[in-house]
Every structure is written in C-alpha cells, then in structure tokens.
Amino acid sequence: MERFDAVVIGGGVAGLGSAYTMAVNDLDVLLIERGGNIGEKSVYGGRIYSWVFEQYVKGFDNAPVERWVKKERLTFLDESESVSIEFSASRACSFTAILTKFNRWLSEKVEDAGGLVVSGVKVEDVKREPLRVVADGEEIGCDVVVDAEGVNPIIAMKLGIRKDWKPSEVAVGVKEVFKFSESQINERFLVESDEGLANLFIGYPVFGNGGGFLYTNKDTVSVGLVVRVDFAMKKKLEVYDLVEKFRSHRELASLLKGGSMIEYSAHLVPEAGIHGVPERLHDKNILIVGDTAGFVLNRGFTIRGVDLAFYSGVLAGESIKKALDEGEIALAGEIYQRSVEESVIMRELERFRKALKVLENTRLYEDYPKTIIGILRDVFEIKDESKKLYDSVMEKTKGKKLRMLMDVFSAFRGL
Amino acid sequence: MESIENRLGLVSFTVDSEPHIKPKSEKCETCSLKICLFICPARLYREEDGKVYFNHEGCLECGTCRIACPEDLDWEYPKGGYGVHYQFG
C-alpha cells in the first residue's frame, strides 16, 4: 500500500493551502482532486483578500491577479432605478481573480514545493484504523487526512464530523462571465488597467436574503446573484431566471452592454457564519477545512471565503507538521482545533455572530432600497414645484421612523 | 436575453453514461412541493405525468437540489474527471 504523511481531499483553495504548507515543510503530501484539471470545479464571486497569500505564498507577485480592487460600490436597486455609494480607495487589500486560474497557479506552487497533486480522481471513502483513503479502487495509507471536499460535505457527513446544511444556512450563487476588451472595462468603470471595481447590489430582483455582485477582471466581468436556499424555496424563485432579471435591470444592462457571455456557473455558499461551524473540526486525525468547515463570513457589503479557506489550510498544515515534529501525530487534530479557535478565523466569525441576524432583516432588502430611491427621486426630479428634502424624508418614512432607527442601530452594531 | 439552454451551451462537460443524481421516483410522485423544478440553477429537473426526471448532462454540481429536496435525494459528485469543466470559476 502506498503511504503518505498526509492525504488532502480536494484541490480547492483550502486543500491547496494545506498541501502547500505541508509541502514547504517537507512532508510527504498527496492531494487528490476529482476535477479533470485543478480549478475546474471551483466557483466563487470574484474577489480575494490578499493578506494570507502575501504572508504565506512565496512568489505571490506572480499570482494570476486580474485587478486590484480600488473601487467599492454598494448599489440599492428597485425594479427600475438605483442608488449607489462608492468608495474610491488609495490602496487595495483585495484583488479580482478567476478562481480556476488562481487555484491552478497554487497547485503549481504545491508541486514546486514537492507535493504530489493528482487530478481526475475522486476520493470514494476514508477508512479508519488504520487510516486510509479509498480512490480509484486503491487504498492509500496516511497519518492524517485533510478533508477539503468543499461545501457539499459528503465524506465529512459520512464520517460523522459534521451535519449537513439546513436550507437556511446556505445560499445558491449563480455567476455569468462576460468578455470585453481591457480598454472597454477601463473606460466604462473609470479604472486604470491594474485597478478594478467590486460592486454589490441589494434589492431587486431578490428582495430577500441575498443580493447581486459584479467584479471587473482584466478583460472580463463576473456578475451574478446569491440567494438563500430557504428563501428561494419559500418564494418559489426560479433560480435559473433570477440572474436574467438582474442583468436586464437598466443599471446592469448599461454596465454589461457590448459584452458577450462566455460562461455560466453555480455554486453553494455557506451563509451561517459561526453557526455553520461544527464544534469539533476533526475526528482524531481527519481534519476539515474551508467550506467543509463553514469558514465564510458574510457582512452584507463584504463576503470573505477564499482567504479564510486558504488560512484554515495553512493552520491544518502547520498543526500536522507540529504534531509530527513532536512525535505525537495522533495530536494533529487537537492542535488544529486549538489553533483555529485562537486564530483570526474564529475571532472574525465570533465578532460578526450578530451579522447574520441583522442580514436576516427583510426590511433591509425590501423597504429600504425603495425608500432611499424614493427620497432621491423627490430631491432630483424637478418639474414645477420641488419638494424639500425634509418633507420627502418625512413622507417616505412615515410610521416607520423608530423601526428604521433601530434597524440602523443594529446594523451598526452587527456588521 | 439568454435562455438557460443557451447559457448551458457555453459550459463544457464530460458526460458520464450513468447519472450521479437519481430522484426516487416513488417519493417524487407523491411530493407536493417539487422544489427541484424551480430551484435548480440549470433547470435540469422536469415533470411529466407526475414523475420527476433529472437530466444529469448539464449539471453544474452546486448541490442546491440536495439541500432543498425534502426527500432523501440520491446525490453524488460525478466520477473523477467527469462532469462540468469550468474555465472562469
């Protein structure tokens, strides 16, 4: 039987993070990916926070970055109009990227560091005592398994490490990618060639838990929608039509004019924050990382998953290395558990425990976009007599001022 | 406007002869919700004479049906190397 120090299930960003960390620490590591090529099963919105890659990946300067995000825009949509708030930053902390390409680049880093990456093979099972991974009819022995199978935790559930997601704990995201020329994007979004825009949308057409996104890549634009599964179930939303409605809105139509669609994709997103993270992140020497562990943070105007996924992989890799060095490999799971609990991952998830509750407030999606748009229409639409701002605000918020104030207060505290 | 069929035409797949997701016909027939019919982002579920059919050829492998189905849907990832090949994920 073939033997490795560790076998990693899944070549997404979390699995690659753990394999990379182990490979640079001279561990014998095998990563098994079910996709024919690394990266071709990975889907996300479009933006990565860079800190963890700058800190941990040698040669990050050569990463396939599309554009550094210097413009952050939040747009409220009703059926036909929109209001946007834009922040133009002097420095960037995140970049847009095609995750398929980014993961492929990471897998080259793993191989350069001496890790073995095998794609086109699906892990069927993990067996215990002794620990081994079953794939392609072969059994591969190892001291540790890192389960990075992603948001559908088929193996982790089978092993009893985590429960399945409830419909209220995940969202379905659909994404379309549009081809432009680089100069078209620069001109349309008023950015330089190495600078990009991240645009989140609240309101139409979901008007419920979820929203839209648009990210500018070098010569493509990623645009899509995320909607919580329980909400889509309750409202009987035809998910395949939602993105079509979204893209047909005046605001989106003008942003996407002249582009040609080159891909459509769909993926689930963990949305439960800290509530979606199981108490035990391991069963003995089987560790769960990334989406499998639920490490995604949604604050409404920012969503973080890729950096936390990679970092959880780094922590898993370091924990395994430490356990091996101490000659107590059986402690790898325990060390990982502790290091995640003490890390920025759990601190951030804990800090935004309340965010989920705030984001569940449907007034945020239904009433407020319409209220804001209505007030601004009154202010800017002049025919004969104009309305005073004060009168418009009073009229549009009639009977709900206290409610709105409390919502604003809880949004400030929670987000 | 791009219909879902046109959009799926942009995606590349290696199709297995065996489906990786199998609705349980006896349970689907009595299911009053049939959430799969509208929740699948690729619109791959269809109903005919009360029976639910799934076309695995255009599956985007998101798992939404697995989560939303009130019954115990027989759901697996495609075999290694099969299924969707995203280029801009």
Side-chain angles (χ1 to χ4, degrees):
Chain A
M1 186 165 67
E2 207 55 56
R3 252 201 94 76
F4 289 84
D5 291 331
V7 175
V8 179
I9 305 171
V13 80
L16 289 163
S18 72
Y20 176 73
T21 306
M22 288 187 272
V24 294
N25 282 294
D26 294 327
L27 269 63
D28 263 337
V29 58
L30 167 67
L31 181 148
I32 305 176
E33 159 61 32
R34 68 185 181 89
N37 295 291
I38 291 287
E40 65 181 33
K41 304 290 186 184
S42 301
V43 177
Y44 82 138
R47 170 235 292 268
I48 297 174
Y49 290 93
S50 62
W51 65 278
V52 69
F53 300 98
E54 289 178 59
Q55 211 168 314
Y56 287 95
V57 185
K58 278 175 217 137
F60 173 71
D61 294 347
N62 298 318
V65 167
E66 295 281 326
R67 290 169 184 263
W68 286 93
V69 177
K70 290 269 187 77
K71 285 193 174 181
E72 306 274 356
R73 193 188 289 164
L74 183 63
T75 303
F76 297 89
L77 294 178
D78 73 0
E79 283 78 2
S80 57
E81 295 180 318
S82 62
V83 171
S84 293
I85 304 166
E86 189 171 297
F87 170 56
S88 179
S90 62
R91 54 183 191 269
C93 62
S94 68
F95 56 89
T96 61
I98 305 296
L99 195 55
T100 305
K101 293 179 194 167
F102 191 76
N103 283 351
R104 213 159 284 169
W105 173 78
L106 279 175
S107 80
E108 285 163 17
K109 293 273 152 198
V110 174
E111 289 177 318
D112 289 349
L116 182 58
V117 176
V118 175
S119 58
V121 175
K122 186 169 107 173
V123 171
E124 304 288 347
D125 205 358
V126 173
K127 292 186 174 168
R128 290 177 268 210
E129 285 163 34
L131 191 60
R132 59 223 194 272
V133 168
V134 186
D136 249 358
E138 301 262 344
E139 289 200 350
I140 304 149
C142 55
D143 289 329
V144 187
V145 169
V146 177
D147 181 356
E149 63 188 315
V151 66
N152 288 296
I154 307 296
I155 293 168
M157 288 192 299
K158 200 162 147 188
L159 295 171
I161 302 178
R162 80 157 299 145
K163 285 187 302 195
D164 205 356
W165 303 98
K166 296 191 204 97
S168 59
E169 293 176 331
V170 280
V172 49
V174 288
K175 182 171 89 165
E176 295 174 340
V177 177
F178 286 82
K179 180 88 175 74
F180 290 90
S181 72
E182 189 176 331
S183 59
Q184 263 177 322
I185 289 178
N186 296 354
E187 284 158 23
R188 183 159 310 173
F189 297 97
L190 303 173
V191 287
E192 299 294 319
S193 276
D194 58 344
E195 297 177 357
L197 163 84
N199 197 169
L200 293 188
F201 298 83
I202 294 173
Y204 181 85
V206 181
F207 293 119
N209 213 297
F213 60 83
L214 180 150
Y215 297 102
T216 58
N217 303 312
K218 187 123 266 176
D219 57 4
T220 57
V221 169
S222 301
V223 57
L225 272 180
V226 175
V227 57
R228 253 209 359 223
V229 173
D230 61 333
F231 184 80
M233 287 166 69
K234 205 171 72 191
K235 300 277 180 181
K236 294 195 161 51
L237 297 179
E238 293 170 319
V239 172
Y240 48 87
D241 265 354
L242 274 183
V243 66
E244 180 119 339
K245 280 188 183 155
F246 178 55
R247 142 163 68 69
S248 308
H249 189 282
R250 282 176 52 246
E251 173 81 11
L252 272 298
S254 66
L255 292 176
L256 296 172
K257 198 176 166 192
S260 52
M261 198 192 301
I262 52 174
E263 192 169 87
Y264 176 66
S265 54
H267 208 270
L268 284 178
V269 193
E271 288 257 316
I274 197 160
H275 308 291
V277 178
E279 225 160 90
R280 307 298 298 161
L281 298 167
H282 69 103
D283 178 68
K284 297 201 180 84
N285 271 10
I286 308 168
L287 285 52
I288 57 170
V289 294
D291 277 2
T292 309
F295 296 145
V296 177
L297 182 60
N298 179 5
R299 291 170 65 194
F301 43 88
T302 59
I303 299 164
R304 286 173 72 175
V306 169
D307 62 325
L308 301 182
F310 189 84
Y311 191 50
S312 69
V314 169
L315 294 178
E318 287 178 349
S319 303
I320 295 163
K321 161 80 175 154
K322 195 165 174 213
L324 270 177
D325 285 352
E326 288 173 7
E328 286 279 1
I329 189 61
L331 292 177
E334 272 307 316
I335 298 173
Y336 172 62
Q337 179 83 34
R338 232 177 310 130
S339 73
V340 172
E341 281 168 4
E342 289 164 5
S343 77
V344 66
I345 298 176
M346 290 312 274
R347 281 204 305 276
E348 284 285 288
L349 287 170
E350 184 58 51
R351 180 173 302 141
F352 297 105
R353 184 183 277 276
K354 283 198 184 130
L356 212 70
K357 205 148 189 93
V358 175
L359 293 172
E360 262 178 0
N361 179 354
T362 52
R363 286 184 295 272
L364 212 62
Y365 312 96
E366 288 165 17
D367 297 353
Y368 298 159
K370 287 181 182 167
T371 307
I372 296 165
I373 289 171
I375 291 169
L376 288 175
R377 190 190 296 116
D378 280 353
V379 171
F380 291 112
E381 194 175 75
I382 295 174
K383 284 179 180 157
D384 42 18
E385 273 178 77
S386 57
K387 238 180 217 164
K388 278 179 77 178
L389 177 60
Y390 176 83
D391 294 335
S392 174
V393 171
M394 284 300 148
E395 185 194 310
K396 295 285 187 303
T397 60
K398 203 169 168 188
K400 48 188 177 187
K401 279 185 206 65
L402 181 62
R403 190 65 264 169
M404 284 182 87
L405 271 173
M406 291 197 297
D407 284 346
V408 169
F409 182 65
S410 67
F412 269 115
R413 288 214 316 183
L415 303 178
Chain B
M1 297 292 259
E2 283 294 342
S3 70
I4 182 64
E5 290 76 19
N6 288 350
R7 275 179 271 159
L8 287 180
L10 302 170
V11 186
S12 109
F13 298 95
T14 302
V15 180
D16 193 357
S17 53
E18 273 287 299
H20 58 284
I21 300 172
K22 295 170 196 132
K24 293 180 176 159
S25 53
E26 69 288 355
K27 287 188 173 169
C28 299
E29 272 185 68
T30 56
C31 175
S32 57
L33 301 167
K34 294 195 173 61
I35 293 160
C36 53
L37 299 179
F38 59 84
I39 208 127
C40 170
R43 196 160 70 179
L44 297 174
Y45 289 86
R46 67 188 166 85
E47 188 182 10
E48 232 170 74
D49 304 327
K51 290 198 174 76
V52 172
Y53 297 92
F54 173 71
N55 174 12
H56 70 287
E57 288 176 18
C59 181
L60 302 172
E61 297 168 35
C62 62
T64 309
C65 58
R66 193 181 70 75
I67 301 292
C69 178
E71 299 297 340
D72 193 13
L73 183 66
D74 192 354
W75 193 103
E76 273 187 64
Y77 279 121
K79 292 184 195 116
Y82 283 94
V84 66
H85 306 278
Y86 290 122
Q87 294 177 61
F88 299 92

